[in-house]
């Protein structure tokens, strides 16, 4: 069931800016934070009901340590209820670091003259994809700076190239994009290339802060950026990802604005964002940032838990910007997707050795473990790693489909597909030490699915995978 508060359905218009800073702050300052009410809001969320902006403001404004613990516990419970123990894995693939914008927090910014910029040639791109396939990756996000060279056709061609690479049993089955916002025709062009999600992060929803940090180029236009994903929807690209760069402005304001953005897309297009990302500001070459709003680990956990409760059906992505220990902790509070085996220096996947060099990278990453190590930890922590790409390939996206609106969908489709894709990984790429662990996890999950999914058919397909068949999904 899509949540569209009457107020936004009436007030919001497609492709028109929708953030009013005063309104966002009013919600926070006037939020009711008495214990009984906060608990009521948490209970509503745990019951899988989408929260209003005022209710989200209540969670954001709550400072009582006891209630904060209850918010976190609620998020954990809700995550288990909605997503079960699956974690979807992907990897970023940086394609080009040319950039005409001047975002003060980013190593690729045009005024960073120390940056060693590169664009992967087609053969290099193919080499990278082969290396990623050799690690077992099935889902990538292609990342680009903003530059006239990386126009819609260029991005579409890169996606087509990635899809065309098949090494051994390897293939990339879903290509997502994080690149500059496009116009409607541009979004049509990339959509035709069969991309999955198109991500555009607003970075900060606070207009003055946005102005302070974005000094030049197209990205300096706040409203153009804010309405980017409206244009994607107008182009028929209904699978979009929003995000804010935490550390630029008050996290409370950004959380509420992300929810406001989700409300806007739901009000205008009947479908919310597929994912929300919450990159936290990291060290990068030659950047120029104020430290006033840096987000502590404690606040970061809180904000992820609040997002989980506020938008129970939106995927939450946590990246390797965060270190392994922080990721392990944060994952419990509602994250549904993480990257693994991440390298962000251009061309690094195909290199034997790579040492982080900030002059070649957008920012510093803090979790550079191999995909197999990330998977091993997931298995140790009782998560079910998934490389599933079934829904978007079967056209189950956007307003026509929400996996959560179909009763039992997760048990009948998501969990079986997670099991099948994990089995492929184990057969083709897993180091010996996680092979057995992985199959034990599959057995455990099959037992739990008994009576709720067609376990006989899953077992049948697992046998087919063992015999060499690939890409079997429900
Ligand atoms: N150039 C495109 C754009 O700006 O939309 C692509 C995005 S950029 C390559 C990916 C994201 O990285 C940005 O949207 C921003 O949120 C994030 N980012 C930039 N600098 C960062 C930093 N120093 N630490 C953490 N994340 C950063
Ligand atoms: Fe360019 Fe994107 Fe970095 Fe801004 S965040 S400088 S647009 S790569």
């Amino acid at each position: 069931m899509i949540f569209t508060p009457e107020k936004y359905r009436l007030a919001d218009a497609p492709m028109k800016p929708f953030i009013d800073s005063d309104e966002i702050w009013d919600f926070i300052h006037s939020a009711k934070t008495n214990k009984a009410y906060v608990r009521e809001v948490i209970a509503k969320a745990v019951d899988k009901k989408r929260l209003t902006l005022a209710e989200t403001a209540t969670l954001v404004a709550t400072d009582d340590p006891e209630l904060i613990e209850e918010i976190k516990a609620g998020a954990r419970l809700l995550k288990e209820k909605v997503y079960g123990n699956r974690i979807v894995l992907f990897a970023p693939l940086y394609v080009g670091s040319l950039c005409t914008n001047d975002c003060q927090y980013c190593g690729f910014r045009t005024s960073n003259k120390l940056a060693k910029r590169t664009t992967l040639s087609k053969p290099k791109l193919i080499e990278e994809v082969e290396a990623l396939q050799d690690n077992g990756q099935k889902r990538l996000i292609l990342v680009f700076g903003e530059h006239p060279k990386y126009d819609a056709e260029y991005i579409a061609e890169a996606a087509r190239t990635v899809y065309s690479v098949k090494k051994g049993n390897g293939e990339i089955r879903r290509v997502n994009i994080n690149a500059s916002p496009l116009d409607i025709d541009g979004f049509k062009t990339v959509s035709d290339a069969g991309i999955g999600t198109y991500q555009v992060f607003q970075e900060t929803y606070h207009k003055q802060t946005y102005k302070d940090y974005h000094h030049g180029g197209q990205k300096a236009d706040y409203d153009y950026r804010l309405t980017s994903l409206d244009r994607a929807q107008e182009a028929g690209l209904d699978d979009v990802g929003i995000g804010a760069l935490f550390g630029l402005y008050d996290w409370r304001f950004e959380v509420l604005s992300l929810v406001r953005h989700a409300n806007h897309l739901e009000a205008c297009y009947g479908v919310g964002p597929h994912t929300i990302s919450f990159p936290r500001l990291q060290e990068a070459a030659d950047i120029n940032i104020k430290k006033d709003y840096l987000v502590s680990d404690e606040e970061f956990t809180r904000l992820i838990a609040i997002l989980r409760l506020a938008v129970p059906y939106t995927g939450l992505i946590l990246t390797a910007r965060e270190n392994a220990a922080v990721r392990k902790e944060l994952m419990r509070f509602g994250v549904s997707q993480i990257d693994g085996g991440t390298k962000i220096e251009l061309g690094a996947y195909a290199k034997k050795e790579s040492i982080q060099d900030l002059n070649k990278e957008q920012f510093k990453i803090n979790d550079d473990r191999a995909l197999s190590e990330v998977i091993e930890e997931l298995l140790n922590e009782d998560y079910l790693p998934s490389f599933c790409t079934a829904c978007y390939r079967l056209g189950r996206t956007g307003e026509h489909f929400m996996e959560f609106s179909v009763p039992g969908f997760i048990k009948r489709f998501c969990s079986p597909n997670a099991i099948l894709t994990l089995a492929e990984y184990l057969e083709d790429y897993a180091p010996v030490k996680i092979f057995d662990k992985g199959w034990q996890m599959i057995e455990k999950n099959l037992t739990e699915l008994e009576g709720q999914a067609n376990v006989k058919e899953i077992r049948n397909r697992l046998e087919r995978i063992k015999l060499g068949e690939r890409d079997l999904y429900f």
Side-chain angles (χ1 to χ4, degrees), residues 20-49:
D20 174 344
S21 292
D22 293 339
E23 183 196 52
I24 300 282
W25 275 123
D26 278 351
F27 270 115
I28 297 172
H29 291 141
S30 60
K32 286 195 278 174
T33 54
N34 66 71
K35 276 195 178 161
Y37 185 65
V38 175
R39 286 182 176 139
E40 213 176 284
V41 172
I42 298 171
K44 177 178 173 186
V46 170
D47 200 24
K48 298 195 254 183
K49 301 213 173 71

Side-chain angles (χ1 to χ4, degrees), residues 229-265:
L229 297 172
D230 286 46
R231 294 192 296 281
Q233 295 282 353
E234 296 285 336
L237 210 174
D238 59 12
D239 190 333
V240 300
I242 62 174
L245 179 55
F246 281 90
L248 299 181
Y249 188 58
D250 195 303
W251 66 265
R252 296 167 183 85
F253 181 94
E254 307 293 13
V255 167
L256 221 57
S257 300
L258 283 165
V259 176
R260 180 70 184 84
H261 197 164
N263 289 350
H264 169 77
L265 292 171

Side-chain angles (χ1 to χ4, degrees), residues 105 143-144 178 201 203 219 225 245 282 321 362:
Y105 45 77
V143 188
F144 299 79
N178 187 321
F201 305 158
E203 320 296 11
K219 197 164 165 182
R225 184 127 181 133
L245 179 55
Q282 304 296 328
R321 288 173 180 85
Q362 195 194 2

Side-chain angles (χ1 to χ4, degrees), residues 99 101-103 105-106 108-109 144-146 203 219 362:
C99 195
N101 290 331
D102 204 15
C103 314
Y105 45 77
C106 176
F108 288 170
R109 71 196 185 106
F144 299 79
E146 181 159 347
E203 320 296 11
K219 197 164 165 182
Q362 195 194 2

